[in-house]
Structure formats: C-alpha cells, structure tokens
Amino acid sequence: MSEQERRAPTGGDELHYFSNDSDLIERGNLSRNDLDQCVRVMEALRSWQESARALSEASNRYMRLNESDMRAIRMIIRAQRQQRIVTPKDIAHEVGISSASTTKLIDRLVAGGHLTRAPHPTDRRTTCIEVTSHTRQSAHDTIGRQHARRFRVATDMPPEDRETVIRFLDALVEADIPQGDLAPHSTSADAQDKDAD
C-alpha cells in the first residue's frame, strides 16, 4: 500500500483541515457544539477560498494571462471606471513588482492587444496605461458576470446577516496580520533578543 493510500480517508470519513483539539485554540467556556461549529465555519471559509482560486485560474486561462497580468488589468479597469489615470508606477505598486518587470508586463500586454499607452496629460516623464475596449468587454462578459453572482449572494441576505459577515471578515483581516517570526522584517534573532530583554 502506498503512502498516499495509507493517508487517504476510508469509508465515509471526511478529511478535515481544521481541528478543534489544537493546543493553540483558546477554548474558554466554549461547548463541544461551539467548537464543532467554529470548525465548520473554518471549513466553509476554506471551501470558498478554493472555489475563488479555481475561478481565478479559470479567468486566467480564458484571458490567456497570468495572475500578475490579470491583477494589473483589473486595477486599470477599476481606475478607468473612476476616470483615474494609471501610470506604470501605479501598476508596479498594485502588482508588487519592480519597474523593469512592470515594463515587460506592459510591453507583453500591449503586444497582446490588452493595453495601450498614451501620453500623460501633465507629466511628460511617464505615460498613461489603458485597457483596450475588447479586453474590457471580455472581462465584463466573463469575470464581471461571475462577480455579479457573488454580489447577488450578498443582496439575498438580511441586513443584519450582512453586518455579521462584515464584522467576521474584518476580524479575519485583523487576525491575519503576520505576527512573530512571520511579521515583516522579523527574524528569529530579533525574537530571541526580545525574549532576552
């Protein structure tokens, strides 16, 4: 029997990615039902993340673009809707890449008919970057429709449920700020120094 077969769930067992018996969980006065429900919340969130990832990959395949390209195009479309000018520097900031990589990205998307360059109205040192009407329409008809389905899920909820979801997601954003060794510019040596103080 292979290692994978030994690890695979058998019968009606379902593989869970979260556990309610971790030594890192503060149980306090939570009942067993509370703990089980919290695990179900985490599992549902993980399932949505996988679904969102699959949708993103499908969008990339349809547009024949990579994730950085798609992030840039989505940002430029949003900016164009708001009648904002987008420069290469804006794209570099959005995607998190160097100016040299940004130039390559823009060159590739211009060659592919997704972007155009235009003179900046006030700054001759840079250019304006715009999404072509064809790419904007393709994104609207595919990715836009998918996001509209998400929005309908929110519209179908009672206002009080929406507020609960907003509080939950805001709290997750706060909880996901990297701590300890995961924090930006943090090293194990830094942590040891702090422990010594």
Side-chain angles (χ1 to χ4, degrees), residues 63 73 77 134-145:
M63 300 290 287
I73 287 173
I77 289 174
H134 176 267
T135 294
R136 187 168 56 251
Q137 191 63 46
S138 291
H140 174 271
D141 293 343
T142 55
I143 304 160
R145 290 187 190 282

Side-chain angles (χ1 to χ4, degrees), residues 177-190:
I177 295 173
Q179 303 290 316
D181 289 341
L182 299 180
H185 311 298
S186 174
T187 64
S188 296
D190 292 338

Side-chain angles (χ1 to χ4, degrees), residues 3-94:
E3 180 66 21
Q4 187 174 5
E5 289 172 329
R6 281 197 296 273
R7 289 180 177 178
T10 58
D13 294 342
E14 183 181 349
L15 179 63
H16 291 286
Y17 287 79
F18 297 93
S19 171
N20 60 14
D21 60 0
S22 167
D23 62 337
L24 299 175
I25 295 173
E26 294 180 17
R27 292 175 181 80
N29 295 323
L30 292 176
S31 69
R32 180 71 188 190
N33 285 342
D34 288 334
L35 287 169
D36 289 344
Q37 189 177 42
C38 289
V39 169
R40 286 170 50 214
V41 169
M42 294 294 100
E43 289 285 346
L45 185 63
R46 181 189 64 83
S47 294
W48 177 74
Q49 288 173 327
E50 287 185 354
S51 178
R53 189 178 305 117
L55 175 59
S56 178
E57 290 169 358
S59 301
N60 296 357
R61 284 194 305 272
Y62 173 79
M63 300 290 287
R64 294 185 177 88
L65 300 171
N66 64 38
E67 183 58 32
S68 293
D69 296 343
M70 288 295 292
R71 283 184 65 184
I73 287 173
R74 285 194 295 264
M75 184 271 284
I76 299 168
I77 289 174
R78 288 194 306 270
Q80 284 181 234
R81 283 198 202 110
Q82 299 168 27
Q83 298 183 327
R84 287 178 47 220
I85 292 173
V86 175
T87 67
K89 186 176 180 180
D90 297 323
I91 295 171
H93 182 265
E94 172 71 16

